Amino acid sequence: MSIITMDVLQRDDLPFPESLPEFQKMFPNEAACAAYLERTRWPKGFVCPQCGTTGDPFRFENRTGVLRCRHCERDTSLTSGTVMERTHTPLSIWFWAAYLVSTHTTGLSAVQFQRQLKLRRYETAFLILHKLRAAMVRPDQDRICPDQGSHVEVDETMVGGRTRGEGRGVHHKVIVVTAVEVRHSQSKSKSAAKRHGGRYADRVRLAVVPDRSADSLCGFVQNVVTPGSIIVTDDWSGYAGLRGLGYEHLPVAERGDPHVAEEFLPIIHTVFANLKTWLMGTHHGVSHQHLQAYLNEFTFRFNRRHYPFNTFRSLLGIARHACAPTYEDLYSGEWKHPTTYSGVGS
Ligand SMILES: [Zn+2]
């Protein structure tokens, strides 16, 4: 066991890797990744989930993912309850994936990931990235709750999907509804702050909805925004019920005028532009079926954009107990990507 592995166990003083060479030093092999996982799961030392005994377990050189209790001699898998559960892929590949996904500003496509790590099969890369996306939505995700003087912009946009097996030129547009928490900058010196009159985006929530009905749009808002908040939308009738649901609703008569949108809903239009650029630039468009998973990744990265180096740990932390799809799930069409939208008025 190397000195580096011992360093990994000193978690409190452990600087998060801020570069590829640092990452390489921290996670040089399977044992180092396993030690990190063990420490993540049992910060105060191993507790056998079978018999509850504490104390250092047996570790195996050729089975790094398994710990054996010294008391009851039963094995515990380090990946159980995480998105890596029952994986045949080495832990180091998962760690690289989590690192690249969390630190690369735009994330990466399955093709890029496959090439970078020299994975033999595209399907392996595709599956790992989707499993990590499943880990990006916190089950207990709280609702957006703007501070005094802040508000929420809500609007929908159409995202072009491509559908497999229907030939070229067949496109299906999907409706994505979004809520953005808008804050006001205290500092007047920032150029970005000046651009939108000192307003900037804090957290976002995005969901695919079946239509632009009041049920769909108000249902989404109820799921993601705390009642009592100030919400700015355009004057589409689908939002008219918000006041009755306890929100301070400010509809803006947009009437297709881009200047009005720029004036009253500037932040959300910037978010839409970023989203579309990312979907096209990094992923070359995504299918309707998996769009929600990409929205989850976009949300995850956007909401953590000021803390890129904590994201990796956060991903491993959140990844615990996340329900992740198998390859069959992804292709059968049965799998439902986690979403903040859960239907009418729920
Ligand atoms: Zn035990």
Side-chain angles (χ1 to χ4, degrees):
M1 196 112 335
S2 65
I3 292 168
I4 288 150
T5 306
M6 293 303 291
D7 281 345
V8 169
L9 294 172
Q10 308 288 324
R11 186 169 67 162
D12 289 347
D13 310 316
L14 185 69
F16 182 80
E18 297 199 12
S19 64
L20 292 176
E22 275 183 36
F23 180 92
Q24 212 174 11
K25 267 187 212 159
M26 260 180 78
F27 304 114
N29 51 36
E30 290 294 292
C33 297
Y36 190 89
L37 272 187
E38 183 184 334
R39 200 69 182 143
T40 304
R41 187 158 172 191
W42 295 284
K44 292 174 184 157
F46 177 73
V47 181
C48 174
Q50 322 267 358
C51 72
T53 300
T54 54
D56 215 32
F58 292 113
R59 295 182 185 82
F60 307 94
E61 208 170 313
N62 53 357
R63 289 176 71 206
T64 44
V66 167
L67 302 177
R68 181 168 295 170
C69 175
R70 283 177 197 265
H71 179 74
C72 71
E73 300 197 335
R74 278 183 286 189
D75 289 345
T76 296
S77 162
L78 278 171
T79 57
S80 74
T82 75
V83 293
M84 297 173 276
E85 189 162 355
R86 285 193 285 277
T87 184
H88 297 296
T89 304
L91 291 179
S92 53
I93 300 284
W94 283 96
F95 273 57
W96 274 119
Y99 181 79
L100 293 172
V101 163
S102 56
T103 55
H104 208 269
T105 356
T106 55
L108 71 172
S109 70
V111 171
Q112 291 168 322
F113 181 51
Q114 182 195 7
R115 270 194 217 132
Q116 296 266 326
L117 293 187
K118 281 204 154 185
L119 299 177
R120 204 165 46 80
R121 298 176 66 228
Y122 167 81
E123 287 76 10
T124 308
F126 179 82
L127 183 61
I128 288 177
L129 293 181
H130 262 301
K131 282 181 183 270
L132 289 177
R133 284 184 196 108
M136 289 175 185
V137 175
R138 280 170 26 200
D140 58 342
Q141 196 175 45
D142 56 341
R143 288 192 285 186
I144 289 177
C145 179
D147 295 345
Q148 195 76 33
S150 307
H151 65 275
V152 178
E153 292 180 10
V154 177
D155 202 356
E156 341 82 55
T157 190
M158 304 294 285
V159 172
R162 91 189 138 73
T163 304
R164 279 168 195 261
E166 288 192 53
R168 286 173 75 129
V170 177
H171 294 285
H172 297 272
K173 293 278 188 183
V174 180
I175 305 164
V176 172
V177 60
T178 300
V180 187
E181 192 174 20
V182 178
R183 293 187 185 278
H184 295 260
S185 175
Q186 304 303 320
S187 144
K188 298 241 182 323
S189 62
K190 285 180 187 166
S191 59
K194 278 182 193 162
R195 206 166 52 225
H196 296 301
R199 288 171 286 185
Y200 67 96
D202 197 351
R203 292 178 299 169
V204 297
R205 298 278 188 261
L206 293 91
V208 173
V209 285
D211 52 43
R212 299 172 74 224
S213 68
D215 283 345
S216 293
L217 299 177
C218 292
F220 167 77
V221 171
Q222 280 187 294
N223 282 339
V224 303
V225 186
T226 311
S229 306
I230 301 171
I231 297 185
V232 181
T233 69
D234 61 25
D235 58 355
W236 170 244
S237 60
Y239 295 110
L242 286 178
R243 190 164 288 272
L245 293 169
Y247 297 96
E248 210 171 308
H249 182 211
L250 303 175
V252 175
E254 196 176 31
R255 295 197 187 91
D257 183 344
H259 295 297
V260 175
E262 180 60 28
E263 178 69 21
F264 294 100
L265 293 161
I267 307 299
I268 204 159
H269 286 104
T270 308
V271 171
F272 287 156
N274 289 346
L275 171 70
K276 289 175 185 183
T277 305
W278 177 68
L279 288 174
M280 288 314 293
T282 302
H283 300 289
H284 308 291
V286 302
S287 70
H288 179 179
Q289 190 199 341
H290 297 308
L291 180 59
Q292 185 63 52
Y294 292 90
L295 298 182
N296 293 346
E297 178 177 349
F298 181 84
T299 304
F300 180 83
R301 182 168 288 111
F302 192 94
N303 292 348
R304 288 169 180 74
R305 66 199 181 283
H306 301 307
Y307 319 95
F309 298 119
N310 290 333
T311 311
F312 171 78
R313 269 192 201 167
S314 157
L315 197 53
L316 280 184
I318 294 170
R320 300 218 33 233
H321 306 297
C323 189
T326 64
Y327 197 72
E328 291 69 34
D329 291 335
L330 288 174
Y331 273 105
S332 67
E334 298 286 300
W335 174 258
K336 274 198 77 178
H337 295 291
T339 173
T340 45
Y341 174 75
S342 52
V344 177
S346 48

